[in-house]
Amino acid sequence: MNKKTLSTFRARLYSYRFELLLASLLCVFVLNIFFPDNIYGGMAQAVYLPFQLLAATVLFESKRNLLRLVLLFAVLLVICRALDLFFVKNIQNGLLLLYICFFGSVMLEVFRQIYHAHLITTKIVYAAVCGLLLIGYCGFYIFLTVEFHEPGSFNGLGQGVQAMNDLFYFSYVTILTVGYGDITPHTWIAKNATVLVAFTAYIYSLVVIATIVGEATRSKKKNGNGDGDTGNS
């Protein structure tokens, strides 16, 4: 593959960056129907994590300096994920920090691209959904870090790896403000983390989603008025 072909291929991937990212984020929910044992590891993550790493690198194609940083996070994540199979307790802190840095970087880049978008298109709608899903991902790893450092921080969690699955569920229940009450924060740090994640999702929905809907409505009205003027003339 020559340089021109590679450049064309990368440009085409970049044009579908939000579709790729959305698919990589949603596949976690699908895969864990078939591999429900452990959302944080096991067969499911062996499939979706490489997909997410690829989608993230495509997202940063136009920002080469940031791309190098995200690639560093990705490489370290893969190495630590492999080592985690053998030395769980020794590198768990670093692994969770890498997850937060990786998904946090991707989330901020999605926010940046939405902010700088000049037109409200289907791609921006995909980006908005990705942003909300990424808040849930970051919330999951924040809650997991809290529970890892202070076991018992959340009431209602299952035992062992089931606790990880429960925290993933709790993160999305929190950002969607469903509030079933089956899992609740117990310690002060857990309560603060829950408020932080919920507040971030609320502000995101209030600002980003409302802005997209408002811009789309104004665009339709503008096009409608334009058509009417053309018809009258």
Side-chain angles (χ1 to χ4, degrees), residues 8 15 18-19 53-54 57 63 70 97 99 107-108 125 145 156 163 167 169 185 200 203 226:
T8 302
S15 68
F18 296 126
E19 290 90 337
L53 297 180
L54 172 64
T57 57
K63 295 285 184 180
V70 172
L97 179 61
Y99 272 112
M107 180 180 69
L108 291 176
V125 174
T145 301
L167 285 174
Y169 155 80
T200 302
I203 294 298

Side-chain angles (χ1 to χ4, degrees), residues 18-142:
F18 296 126
E19 290 90 337
L20 284 171
L21 182 60
L22 181 59
S24 73
L25 296 173
L26 288 177
C27 76
V28 179
F29 299 91
V30 177
L31 285 171
N32 280 284
I33 295 174
F34 300 99
F35 305 99
D37 292 338
N38 185 4
I39 199 170
Y40 183 63
M43 182 63 70
Q45 191 175 72
V47 176
Y48 70 71
L49 184 58
F51 188 12
Q52 290 175 341
L53 297 180
L54 172 64
T57 57
V58 172
L59 187 70
F60 289 89
E61 178 64 27
S62 64
K63 295 285 184 180
R64 292 306 177 89
N65 291 333
L66 290 176
L67 176 60
R68 294 188 185 97
L69 180 62
V70 172
L71 282 173
L72 176 62
F73 288 150
V75 171
L76 292 174
L77 195 55
V78 170
I79 293 173
C80 290
R81 184 74 264 183
L83 293 175
D84 186 47
L85 298 174
F86 306 99
F87 308 104
V88 178
K89 296 298 182 183
N90 295 339
I91 64 168
Q92 191 68 259
N93 289 332
L95 186 56
L96 289 172
L97 179 61
L98 280 172
Y99 272 112
I100 293 172
C101 290
F102 174 76
F103 284 108
S105 300
V106 176
M107 180 180 69
L108 291 176
E109 177 61 18
V110 169
F111 291 174
R112 188 193 69 81
Q113 293 193 26
I114 292 173
Y115 177 77
H116 289 287
H118 299 293
L119 296 174
I120 302 302
T121 63
T122 304
K123 289 185 181 297
I124 297 303
V125 174
Y126 290 151
V129 177
C130 288
L132 187 61
L133 289 172
L134 285 163
I135 294 173
Y137 267 75
C138 291
F140 164 59
Y141 288 110
I142 290 172

Side-chain angles (χ1 to χ4, degrees), residues 173-198:
V173 167
T174 298
I175 68 170
L176 295 174
T177 65
V178 177
Y180 289 120
D182 50 346
I183 299 173
T184 56
H186 175 64
T187 63
W188 183 242
I189 189 172
K191 292 176 181 178
N192 273 278
T194 303
V195 170
L196 174 64
V197 172

